[in-house]
Amino acid sequence: MKKIFTILCFTIIATVAMHASAQAQSYKNAIGGRFGAANGVTFKTSLGDNKMLDLIANFRSHDNYNYFRVTALYEVYLPIANAPGLNWYYGGGGSIGTAKYKPTHSSDLYLAADGVLGLDYKFANAPLNLSLDWKPAIQLAPDTNFDASGVGLSFRFTF
């Protein structure tokens, strides 16, 4: 049921977004930290028009395992009317990394297909950017699993 709901939400958002066009983001590059279900470093760069590439390196630790992964996301930005500096965005990409199992001291390849849906705010008079997003992932290796816990808050310096 979660998978069907997620697919339905992304389909609706993509359909609405295809009818909008704008120069949404107000910065070319941004670097900072991402905090949430997994903590790490994030770097965003403009691909022109209303598109951005978000590169994230993060780690996560649980009772029985921890992992490190690198994620690349292609994001489409759309402005929110009457809210200067505030955009919503959606996109997708993938993750690759390592998963280490604490009880056996073994490790595996981590591979996932990721989606993203979020809000992005660029402060008008400061080189700062704040974003809140949800990054669900379909884990492909070492196990097949749907991970809906990817909520994160990012603070970035823009340039």
Side-chain angles (χ1 to χ4, degrees):
M1 187 67 175
K2 283 184 190 179
K3 290 179 187 178
I4 293 170
F5 179 73
T6 302
I7 291 169
L8 181 62
C9 286
F10 280 123
T11 303
I12 291 169
I13 290 167
T15 302
V16 170
M18 286 172 31
H19 296 289
S21 170
Q23 176 70 28
Q25 73 276 9
S26 58
Y27 55 91
K28 295 278 186 193
N29 298 297
I31 190 166
R34 178 179 166 86
F35 308 96
N39 299 313
V41 178
T42 172
F43 173 74
K44 282 193 179 195
T45 188
S46 175
L47 299 175
D49 294 327
N50 62 338
K51 317 287 190 296
M52 293 196 91
L53 175 66
D54 189 3
L55 301 173
I56 304 167
N58 62 28
F59 58 91
R60 182 184 234 173
S61 183
H62 290 281
D63 293 337
N64 292 323
Y65 71 92
N66 56 27
Y67 66 77
F68 171 78
R69 66 183 178 188
V70 176
T71 303
L73 297 167
Y74 177 82
E75 299 172 345
V76 177
Y77 281 65
L78 299 165
I80 295 178
N82 301 319
L86 184 62
N87 298 288
W88 71 277
Y89 62 94
Y90 66 92
S95 294
I96 189 165
T98 61
K100 295 184 181 180
Y101 301 98
K102 294 175 184 177
T104 62
H105 301 289
S106 62
S107 61
D108 273 321
L109 171 72
Y110 177 91
L111 188 62
D114 298 84
V116 66
L117 177 65
L119 292 171
D120 182 89
Y121 182 72
K122 166 63 175 81
F123 291 88
N125 297 318
L128 299 174
N129 162 252
L130 178 67
S131 66
L132 176 66
D133 59 41
W134 176 52
K135 196 177 73 54
I138 298 173
Q139 183 178 325
L140 305 171
D143 301 320
T144 303
N145 188 18
F146 178 72
D147 181 7
S149 67
V151 175
L153 180 63
S154 297
F155 297 95
R156 297 182 194 89
F157 173 73
T158 62
F159 56 100

